[in-house]
Amino acid sequence: MSEQKWESMNDADFDSVLQGSLPEPPPDDIVAEVTPWKKAMNRVLTGLALSVITLNFLALNYILPAIGLILMLLGFRTLRRENGWFCSCYAVCLVKAAYFFPSLILNATTYQSIVSALPVYRYLTAASLVLTLIQFFCLWRGIKAVKRKAGLAAEAAAAGALIVWYLIIAALVLLGYGGTVVGIAMIVSCFFIIRGLYHLSSELDEAGYIIQTASVHISDKVLVRVIGGLLAAGIVCGYLFAASYPMNWVAVERTEEAETTEIKYRLIELGFPENVLEDMAEADLLECRDAFQVVVDVTDKPVNRGREVVEYEGNTEYHTTVYDVKELRITGVAVELPGERETWKVIHHFQWLVDPGFYGTESIQLWPTYYQGAEGWDEAGEVAGRVLHTLEGEDYAASYYSLGSETFTSNSIFWGERSSTDVFASFSMPKNSEDQRGYISYTTTAHYADVKYIMNSWVNYTHQRGWLQYPVNTATEYRMSGAWNDYGPFVTVQDALQFYNTDDGIDMLTAEE
Amino acid sequence: MQDSEIIAWLRAHDERGVEALITHYGALMRYVISPVLPSLQDREECLSEAAMRVWGKIELYDAARGSWRSWLTALCRNAAINYARNRNPAGEAEELVERQPSPEPTPEEAVVRQERNEAIKRALGRLSDKDRMLFYRKYYYLQSTAQIASELAMTERAVEGRLYRLKRELRRMLGGEGHE
């Protein structure tokens, strides 16, 4: 047929020619695909498989369930008009989507741990487990209803097995069972159940032609793009605008009372570092009123990974890490105060000597000299402190976002799982600020009047140096996890103030760097 | 139940074959028939007619030429079109039937039709799987835009737009081949 004839045909003629020119019988692949059931059910089953598989790496424990939920949503959306059971499955998908997708966005913010600690979150998690069970039950009944409608035996053993499997998993979780053998058995049985469901679905290929599909106002493609777009936008906004703590910065007023000026002079005379003194809040300064001895230990610490240097001595190769830049200055100051027993006010001050680079969350973990009931020292007051920075020549100060004791359970390759209670100071620094600094302080008294003990006070400063982590952990959460991986988004710098107050004077125990 | 068992019963003119056919393939047969015949009663009558055709023509089924389901689909579709033609010679059904090729073409028509079928087959082979399926739904299964839209979870407008682009693409392909 010539080009002119094709082009001169009107639409009706062209349609007529197309209708009459198709090969008989139609190709097998077309016949296999033209069914209202197969695509929708395959989506449901693939979504189901992705939802029950948990792979805890590369954020797959979030990505796969998210894809799974979208696939189930699309599948049940098509099937929802067929029967009430499928409609219920669709409703469950909608409810799950309503809290699961926002939770994915929440995970990109520092608020995720706060929200997940709320009692309502625990109820939501429990509700989610119940909803999943309801969904499996409705799926089982829905498939049986389709088979019954098609005049086939209303059996769906694989879907029923899925409910039993899920109940066993829930029971194991509630009992806190973590055995390997049962775990492997559950994974293997899950695989066989999913395979059984696919088999059941293909068995239903014939019955599936009776399915009544639901019309849609938004196509699958648009729906997926909208969900994906909102998720991506939400997560990006989380990283951009909620990756640090909201801090209440106030300009520092330098109006000095005669008393504080006098205290400052006295402390400087005793060797108190002037820069630390300038950063101290008036209340902390007043506590040092009658100081008569000051011990200072200044250390510059690297927050970078350094560079490896190889040296040879004879046939021996020595690898050392050299730090060209040491970004963080940590100053340990102990001020001896009068009292019936030996009393010290200990101050751990930090100061960034260069731009910290990334402005996320920071954390200071304090191990005071009376840490975990260490012999010789008692707690004598609250832990205090503040953070400061300079912007366009003006100093700003803020209280820590949080400062206090936190009880946590950490996992260590050395100590295993253990519970601890430590003091943590959590904070963030504003972008474009300069000379970021701060301190944490506490007072301690000797347990015995006549026995002297070593002063042994530690701080672990954790800096966030990148955004790439999901879900978002704060520096404090990172420290609490017991992880010690300086190649991740966090790096921890440790410093100690250690000395022995002998009758002959102060004997510094901290190694010189 | 295996297809081969049903086919064997039908070939042996065992009535269990028709029973099994309706039980296992009734849904498929109704699915193919329903876009052509809007009336529920017509569909059921046509289903019986199609089942009888299967019974009568089972010897023509050749597994080498296509699957059992493809053969059954073709048979049901033609049964439905014939039923529509006989049942309602005027009106909507006739419009549908008129578009079908004449059952007895002249030798010249047969050559032209063969040439045209080959050209369309080549053009269809160049379409994506999704477009080819959409094409078959519309021009072979004779499904309405609403049915296609709901089964593919698309809006009717999206289906119409895609069919429009598909037809334009086919015209371009067929026109291009005219120069060769």
Side-chain angles (χ1 to χ4, degrees):
Chain A
M1 190 174 271
S2 70
E3 180 188 354
Q4 285 74 21
K5 279 192 178 175
W6 288 114
E7 284 197 340
S8 61
M9 265 186 208
N10 63 28
D11 255 11
D13 289 342
F14 189 61
D15 281 354
S16 171
V17 168
L18 291 177
Q19 277 176 20
S21 308
L22 292 169
E24 289 271 20
D28 289 348
D29 62 323
I30 294 290
V31 174
E33 290 302 318
V34 178
T35 156
W37 167 264
K38 203 172 174 179
K39 187 178 171 187
M41 202 56 195
N42 279 348
R43 280 177 168 176
V44 167
L45 296 181
T46 308
L48 197 73
L50 292 176
S51 302
V52 296
I53 293 168
T54 306
L55 299 174
N56 284 322
F57 58 92
L58 297 173
L60 288 176
N61 49 333
Y62 298 98
I63 295 169
L64 295 185
I67 296 171
L69 182 55
I70 291 173
L71 285 174
M72 284 205 281
L73 193 68
L74 298 181
F76 284 126
R77 193 168 78 122
T78 304
L79 301 175
R80 71 185 190 276
R81 287 280 157 78
E82 174 53 29
N83 58 50
W85 299 109
F86 285 152
C87 188
S88 302
C89 286
Y90 178 61
V92 170
C93 276
L94 286 177
V95 174
K96 285 172 106 177
Y99 77 81
F100 182 69
F101 293 128
S103 78
L104 290 182
I105 294 171
L106 188 70
N107 281 347
T109 73
T110 54
Y111 301 107
Q112 61 98 7
S113 57
I114 299 168
V115 175
S116 61
L118 295 174
V120 69
Y121 193 82
R122 258 174 275 154
Y123 295 133
L124 273 175
T125 308
S128 162
L129 297 175
V130 173
L131 278 176
T132 304
L133 187 64
I134 291 170
Q135 194 172 39
F136 289 172
F137 178 77
C138 292
L139 175 67
W140 173 56
R141 296 302 303 266
I143 291 173
K144 283 178 72 166
V146 169
K147 288 189 87 169
R148 197 178 298 115
K149 186 178 170 186
L152 302 173
E155 291 166 355
L162 186 68
I163 299 169
V164 175
W165 178 85
Y166 191 76
L167 283 171
I168 294 171
I169 285 282
L172 290 174
V173 170
L174 286 174
L175 295 171
Y177 183 84
T180 315
V181 177
V182 174
I184 291 170
M186 293 313 289
I187 293 168
V188 172
S189 56
C190 175
F191 169 78
F192 280 108
I193 289 168
I194 300 280
R195 206 182 68 155
L197 281 169
Y198 274 103
H199 187 67
L200 176 68
S201 173
S202 56
E203 268 180 10
L204 277 168
D205 275 357
E206 304 311 331
Y209 286 105
I210 57 162
I211 289 283
Q212 290 293 310
T213 51
S215 59
V216 294
H217 298 296
I218 303 168
S219 70
D220 281 355
K221 199 185 271 184
V222 173
L223 190 65
V224 170
R225 283 180 183 171
V226 167
I227 294 172
L230 287 175
L231 265 181
I235 288 171
V236 168
C237 285
Y239 279 119
L240 285 177
F241 307 115
S244 55
Y245 298 118
M247 302 286 289
N248 186 22
W249 295 103
V250 177
V252 178
E253 287 179 27
R254 300 284 182 194
T255 51
E256 290 192 352
E257 301 290 328
E259 190 184 8
T260 53
T261 309
E262 195 186 318
I263 294 169
K264 276 186 180 178
Y265 278 131
R266 172 75 184 140
L267 288 171
I268 290 167
E269 270 176 19
L270 291 169
F272 201 110
E274 234 175 295
N275 65 317
V276 178
L277 205 55
E278 289 302 318
D279 290 341
M280 285 179 67
E282 195 176 352
D284 288 321
L285 206 57
L286 290 171
E287 275 188 42
C288 302
R289 189 180 291 118
D290 301 314
F292 58 89
Q293 184 172 212
V294 171
V295 180
V296 181
D297 179 36
V298 183
T299 319
D300 288 349
K301 296 278 187 181
V303 186
N304 59 81
R305 290 176 194 138
R307 61 185 168 88
E308 194 176 84
V309 174
V310 183
E311 288 174 313
Y312 297 92
E313 260 187 43
N315 291 330
T316 315
E317 194 175 285
Y318 294 97
H319 291 256
T320 47
T321 304
V322 173
Y323 298 96
D324 298 317
V325 181
K326 292 181 176 177
E327 298 95 333
L328 194 65
R329 174 165 295 164
I330 298 184
T331 307
V333 184
V335 180
E336 190 167 12
L337 303 171
E340 286 178 17
R341 284 179 283 166
E342 188 181 347
T343 303
W344 292 85
K345 182 169 179 68
V346 180
I347 300 139
H348 289 280
H349 180 271
F350 71 88
Q351 183 174 23
W352 281 90
L353 304 176
V354 298
D355 188 329
F358 183 79
Y359 293 85
T361 57
E362 313 282 312
S363 167
I364 299 171
Q365 181 186 27
L366 177 71
W367 290 337
T369 192
Y370 50 80
Y371 182 57
Q372 292 187 341
E375 205 181 355
W377 298 101
D378 292 330
E379 187 179 341
E382 294 289 310
V383 177
R386 64 174 181 171
V387 276
L388 301 100
H389 72 269
T390 306
L391 188 64
E392 294 171 353
E394 190 164 9
D395 288 334
Y396 291 86
S399 301
Y400 284 103
Y401 175 74
S402 67
L403 174 63
S405 291
E406 303 268 3
T407 301
F408 58 99
T409 305
S410 59
N411 248 316
S412 157
I413 53 168
F414 301 114
W415 317 111
E417 194 175 283
R418 63 175 190 169
S419 185
S420 317
T421 300
D422 287 351
V423 171
F424 283 93
S426 306
F427 63 103
S428 290
M429 292 290 187
K431 287 173 192 167
N432 307 319
S433 62
E434 292 170 358
D435 196 18
Q436 300 84 2
R437 58 206 190 273
Y439 72 94
I440 188 166
S441 70
Y442 64 93
T443 306
T444 182
T445 53
H447 191 69
Y448 308 101
D450 50 350
V451 185
K452 287 191 180 285
Y453 280 85
I454 291 170
M455 173 65 68
N456 184 26
S457 184
W458 292 73
V459 280
N460 296 301
Y461 184 104
T462 302
H463 167 61
Q464 186 179 350
R465 61 178 167 201
W467 64 272
L468 190 58
Q469 53 160 344
Y470 190 90
V472 165
N473 276 312
T474 61
T476 299
E477 285 159 2
Y478 169 79
R479 270 306 290 170
M480 286 180 182
S481 72
W484 199 278
N485 172 22
D486 283 353
Y487 288 89
F490 297 98
V491 60
T492 298
V493 169
Q494 198 168 56
D495 187 62
L497 175 65
Q498 295 170 307
F499 62 87
Y500 188 44
N501 186 18
T502 67
D503 293 335
D504 300 329
I506 298 296
D507 184 6
M508 292 301 294
L509 303 175
T510 314
E512 288 291 323
E513 294 207 8
Chain B
M1 181 175 279
Q2 296 289 314
D3 291 348
S4 55
E5 210 174 337
I6 299 173
I7 294 164
W9 274 338
L10 289 167
R11 282 197 166 136
H13 290 286
D14 185 330
E15 284 182 5
R16 283 179 299 176
V18 179
E19 211 172 292
L21 177 76
I22 297 296
T23 303
H24 290 276
Y25 289 98
L28 165 68
M29 293 165 83
R30 282 191 185 92
Y31 179 74
V32 176
I33 290 167
S34 41
V36 185
L37 301 171
S39 151
L40 199 64
Q41 193 189 335
D42 287 350
R43 284 179 200 169
E44 287 308 305
E45 281 176 16
C46 181
L47 177 71
S48 305
E49 211 170 277
M52 291 324 293
R53 273 190 181 214
V54 175
W55 175 268
K57 292 188 171 182
I58 188 67
E59 298 305 332
L60 297 177
Y61 168 62
D62 178 4
R65 290 186 61 201
S67 69
W68 162 246
R69 217 191 283 186
S70 297
W71 186 77
L72 201 57
T73 298
L75 190 138
C76 289
R77 179 209 186 229
N78 292 334
I81 289 169
N82 284 338
Y83 185 94
R85 184 195 291 152
N86 297 334
R87 178 84 179 167
N88 189 10
E92 201 178 304
E94 189 180 349
E95 192 186 323
L96 172 78
V97 176
E98 270 180 0
R99 287 183 187 174
Q100 301 307 309
S102 159
E104 291 169 13
T106 63
E108 192 191 341
E109 277 174 348
V111 171
V112 172
R113 189 185 292 180
Q114 178 68 22
E115 202 180 293
R116 191 178 63 195
N117 290 357
E118 287 300 319
I120 289 174
K121 199 177 168 185
R122 280 197 300 276
L124 285 178
R126 285 157 62 187
L127 293 176
S128 69
D129 286 350
K130 276 186 179 176
D131 281 347
R132 214 158 60 90
M133 194 166 71
L134 187 69
F135 180 87
Y136 268 93
R137 278 182 180 271
K138 179 71 184 174
Y139 294 104
Y140 188 83
Y141 285 84
L142 306 170
Q143 293 179 349
S144 66
T145 306
Q147 186 183 355
I148 296 171
S150 75
E151 289 186 13
L152 296 180
M154 295 165 74
T155 59
E156 287 188 37
R157 201 172 161 186
V159 171
E160 279 165 6
R162 213 159 121 185
L163 278 169
Y164 173 77
R165 287 191 294 276
L166 181 60
K167 264 165 69 173
R168 201 175 54 186
E169 178 68 5
L170 274 173
R171 269 187 196 270
R172 192 190 61 75
M173 285 180 186
L174 293 167
E177 282 177 352
H179 286 296
E180 288 170 7

PDB file of all heavy atoms in Angstrom, chain A residues 272-283:
ATOM      1  N   PHE A 272      45.082  31.294  85.307  1.00  0.00           N
ATOM      2  CA  PHE A 272      43.866  30.920  84.565  1.00  0.00           C
ATOM      3  C   PHE A 272      43.952  31.506  83.150  1.00  0.00           C
ATOM      4  O   PHE A 272      44.201  32.699  82.993  1.00  0.00           O
ATOM      5  CB  PHE A 272      42.641  31.474  85.285  1.00  0.00           C
ATOM      6  CG  PHE A 272      41.354  30.781  84.935  1.00  0.00           C
ATOM      7  CD1 PHE A 272      40.717  29.974  85.865  1.00  0.00           C
ATOM      8  CD2 PHE A 272      40.776  30.919  83.680  1.00  0.00           C
ATOM      9  CE1 PHE A 272      39.515  29.341  85.557  1.00  0.00           C
ATOM     10  CE2 PHE A 272      39.593  30.282  83.370  1.00  0.00           C
ATOM     11  CZ  PHE A 272      38.952  29.488  84.308  1.00  0.00           C
ATOM     12  N   PRO A 273      43.739  30.706  82.092  1.00  0.00           N
ATOM     13  CA  PRO A 273      43.844  31.244  80.730  1.00  0.00           C
ATOM     14  C   PRO A 273      42.794  32.334  80.482  1.00  0.00           C
ATOM     15  O   PRO A 273      41.609  32.108  80.755  1.00  0.00           O
ATOM     16  CB  PRO A 273      43.591  30.040  79.834  1.00  0.00           C
ATOM     17  CG  PRO A 273      43.684  28.846  80.717  1.00  0.00           C
ATOM     18  CD  PRO A 273      43.375  29.293  82.104  1.00  0.00           C
ATOM     19  N   GLU A 274      43.235  33.459  79.967  1.00  0.00           N
ATOM     20  CA  GLU A 274      42.355  34.617  79.808  1.00  0.00           C
ATOM     21  C   GLU A 274      41.189  34.347  78.849  1.00  0.00           C
ATOM     22  O   GLU A 274      40.057  34.773  79.082  1.00  0.00           O
ATOM     23  CB  GLU A 274      43.179  35.801  79.284  1.00  0.00           C
ATOM     24  CG  GLU A 274      43.023  37.014  80.164  1.00  0.00           C
ATOM     25  CD  GLU A 274      43.923  38.155  79.731  1.00  0.00           C
ATOM     26  OE1 GLU A 274      45.173  38.013  79.802  1.00  0.00           O
ATOM     27  OE2 GLU A 274      43.353  39.165  79.320  1.00  0.00           O
ATOM     28  N   ASN A 275      41.512  33.600  77.773  1.00  0.00           N
ATOM     29  CA  ASN A 275      40.462  33.349  76.770  1.00  0.00           C
ATOM     30  C   ASN A 275      39.342  32.492  77.366  1.00  0.00           C
ATOM     31  O   ASN A 275      38.154  32.690  77.065  1.00  0.00           O
ATOM     32  CB  ASN A 275      41.052  32.676  75.525  1.00  0.00           C
ATOM     33  CG  ASN A 275      41.601  31.291  75.793  1.00  0.00           C
ATOM     34  OD1 ASN A 275      42.281  31.069  76.805  1.00  0.00           O
ATOM     35  ND2 ASN A 275      41.333  30.362  74.903  1.00  0.00           N
ATOM     36  N   VAL A 276      39.672  31.565  78.229  1.00  0.00           N
ATOM     37  CA  VAL A 276      38.658  30.719  78.873  1.00  0.00           C
ATOM     38  C   VAL A 276      37.839  31.564  79.847  1.00  0.00           C
ATOM     39  O   VAL A 276      36.607  31.475  79.906  1.00  0.00           O
ATOM     40  CB  VAL A 276      39.323  29.519  79.602  1.00  0.00           C
ATOM     41  CG1 VAL A 276      38.270  28.667  80.325  1.00  0.00           C
ATOM     42  CG2 VAL A 276      40.116  28.664  78.621  1.00  0.00           C
ATOM     43  N   LEU A 277      38.520  32.418  80.544  1.00  0.00           N
ATOM     44  CA  LEU A 277      37.887  33.291  81.531  1.00  0.00           C
ATOM     45  C   LEU A 277      36.822  34.185  80.877  1.00  0.00           C
ATOM     46  O   LEU A 277      35.720  34.378  81.413  1.00  0.00           O
ATOM     47  CB  LEU A 277      38.978  34.157  82.169  1.00  0.00           C
ATOM     48  CG  LEU A 277      38.726  34.705  83.556  1.00  0.00           C
ATOM     49  CD1 LEU A 277      38.389  33.589  84.541  1.00  0.00           C
ATOM     50  CD2 LEU A 277      39.959  35.466  84.047  1.00  0.00           C
ATOM     51  N   GLU A 278      37.159  34.682  79.680  1.00  0.00           N
ATOM     52  CA  GLU A 278      36.238  35.574  78.964  1.00  0.00           C
ATOM     53  C   GLU A 278      34.956  34.861  78.542  1.00  0.00           C
ATOM     54  O   GLU A 278      33.923  35.483  78.337  1.00  0.00           O
ATOM     55  CB  GLU A 278      36.935  36.166  77.717  1.00  0.00           C
ATOM     56  CG  GLU A 278      38.009  37.194  78.028  1.00  0.00           C
ATOM     57  CD  GLU A 278      37.460  38.372  78.849  1.00  0.00           C
ATOM     58  OE1 GLU A 278      36.341  38.840  78.542  1.00  0.00           O
ATOM     59  OE2 GLU A 278      38.127  38.801  79.815  1.00  0.00           O
ATOM     60  N   ASP A 279      35.055  33.534  78.384  1.00  0.00           N
ATOM     61  CA  ASP A 279      33.885  32.775  77.913  1.00  0.00           C
ATOM     62  C   ASP A 279      32.989  32.303  79.048  1.00  0.00           C
ATOM     63  O   ASP A 279      31.877  31.844  78.811  1.00  0.00           O
ATOM     64  CB  ASP A 279      34.344  31.543  77.113  1.00  0.00           C
ATOM     65  CG  ASP A 279      34.963  31.944  75.779  1.00  0.00           C
ATOM     66  OD1 ASP A 279      34.713  33.079  75.341  1.00  0.00           O
ATOM     67  OD2 ASP A 279      35.694  31.126  75.190  1.00  0.00           O
ATOM     68  N   MET A 280      33.467  32.425  80.270  1.00  0.00           N
ATOM     69  CA  MET A 280      32.698  31.871  81.388  1.00  0.00           C
ATOM     70  C   MET A 280      31.504  32.740  81.765  1.00  0.00           C
ATOM     71  O   MET A 280      31.591  33.969  81.786  1.00  0.00           O
ATOM     72  CB  MET A 280      33.604  31.670  82.606  1.00  0.00           C
ATOM     73  CG  MET A 280      34.513  30.452  82.419  1.00  0.00           C
ATOM     74  SD  MET A 280      35.588  30.187  83.790  1.00  0.00           S
ATOM     75  CE  MET A 280      34.472  29.741  85.077  1.00  0.00           C
ATOM     76  N   ALA A 281      30.424  32.089  82.097  1.00  0.00           N
ATOM     77  CA  ALA A 281      29.219  32.806  82.543  1.00  0.00           C
ATOM     78  C   ALA A 281      29.479  33.359  83.948  1.00  0.00           C
ATOM     79  O   ALA A 281      30.308  32.819  84.688  1.00  0.00           O
ATOM     80  CB  ALA A 281      28.042  31.837  82.570  1.00  0.00           C
ATOM     81  N   GLU A 282      28.770  34.421  84.291  1.00  0.00           N
ATOM     82  CA  GLU A 282      29.027  35.102  85.552  1.00  0.00           C
ATOM     83  C   GLU A 282      28.864  34.161  86.755  1.00  0.00           C
ATOM     84  O   GLU A 282      29.668  34.177  87.695  1.00  0.00           O
ATOM     85  CB  GLU A 282      28.087  36.297  85.683  1.00  0.00           C
ATOM     86  CG  GLU A 282      28.521  37.247  86.770  1.00  0.00           C
ATOM     87  CD  GLU A 282      27.646  38.494  86.839  1.00  0.00           C
ATOM     88  OE1 GLU A 282      26.804  38.681  85.956  1.00  0.00           O
ATOM     89  OE2 GLU A 282      27.828  39.264  87.792  1.00  0.00           O
ATOM     90  N   ALA A 283      27.855  33.289  86.696  1.00  0.00           N
ATOM     91  CA  ALA A 283      27.600  32.375  87.816  1.00  0.00           C
ATOM     92  C   ALA A 283      28.801  31.464  88.053  1.00  0.00           C
ATOM     93  O   ALA A 283      29.187  31.215  89.201  1.00  0.00           O
ATOM     94  CB  ALA A 283      26.356  31.547  87.524  1.00  0.00           C
TER      95      ALA A 283
END
